[in-house]
Amino acid sequence: MDIVIYPDPRLRKKNAPVTTFDKSLATNVREMFDAMYATSGVGLAAPQVGLNIRLLVYNPSGKSDLPNEEVVLCNPKMVYKSKETESGEEGCLSFPEVNGQVIRPLKVKIEAQNLEGEAFELELEDWDARIFQHELDHLDGILFIDRMTPASKNQVKPVLEDLVHDYKQALADS
Ligand code: CO
């Protein structure tokens, strides 16, 4: 399972709800976690592996030997976000070498379904809330560069231009 790199248009596509909670969904989730750990990530959304469905996974520890911390969310919805916000540094597996400050609500409440299709609720804050919001954005085609502070956006501009250049080059070569 390869990670889709910016500016691949699959990162901006519409993502369909998960409707079938079967073995192949579970297999995809396992492969997403493997791809995430292999690239030292803490979260991954399905469109980042070329699956345009409303599915995301994360592990706030980023450690494959802490599987109890793995979270799988199918069709997640943010039903509450705090007025209180916090600025924090983010990276994204679809943006190698890019980091920047993003301001996000500190606390969120979520409704989602698990791998069996059962509905559940989750309350998150701080780091976990940040990871979730970053991944949820992916399901709506929103990327963290869209939300970066102007100073960070300015800083990462040359690297983004390099990524666009590499993408066009790869297309031309293929
Ligand atoms: Co990301």
Side-chain angles (χ1 to χ4, degrees), residues 22-170:
D22 58 4
K23 233 180 193 166
S24 93
L25 181 69
T27 304
N28 281 332
V29 161
R30 201 60 252 155
E31 289 182 6
M32 283 171 67
F33 274 118
D34 292 344
M36 186 188 90
Y37 294 130
T39 46
S40 305
V42 293
L44 193 61
Q48 291 182 277
V49 292
L51 300 169
N52 284 110
I53 55 172
R54 300 190 70 81
L55 164 71
L56 66 85
V57 306
Y58 67 90
N59 180 333
S61 74
K63 292 182 178 146
S64 59
D65 56 355
L66 293 176
N68 289 344
E69 299 205 23
E70 290 181 350
V71 179
V72 178
L73 301 179
C74 303
N75 305 320
K77 268 186 230 141
M78 190 158 61
V79 293
Y80 165 83
K81 56 181 179 188
S82 64
K83 284 206 177 74
E84 198 183 345
T85 58
E86 192 175 58
S87 185
E89 169 126 328
E90 294 185 15
C92 179
L93 295 179
S94 295
F95 291 80
E97 322 276 319
V98 178
N99 290 285
Q101 292 287 317
V102 180
I103 298 166
R104 296 193 189 270
L106 195 60
K107 296 179 185 178
V108 297
K109 256 185 220 167
I110 300 155
E111 287 175 7
Q113 285 166 279
N114 65 16
L115 272 177
E116 283 76 47
E118 297 157 350
F120 66 100
E121 288 183 354
L122 208 57
E123 286 185 38
L124 302 174
E125 56 182 271
D126 298 323
W127 178 234
D128 300 53
R130 176 171 297 279
I131 299 170
F132 166 74
Q133 291 173 79
H134 175 114
E135 302 311 333
L136 181 68
D137 272 348
H138 276 295
L139 303 187
D140 295 319
I142 300 168
L143 303 170
F144 79 141
I145 52 168
D146 306 337
R147 295 204 193 270
M148 260 183 206
T149 61
S152 282
K153 186 81 200 264
N154 213 31
Q155 259 176 3
V156 303
K157 212 175 156 213
V159 192
L160 294 184
E161 285 167 0
D162 286 348
L163 287 174
V164 170
H165 175 267
D166 291 350
Y167 180 77
K168 286 182 178 160
Q169 195 64 50

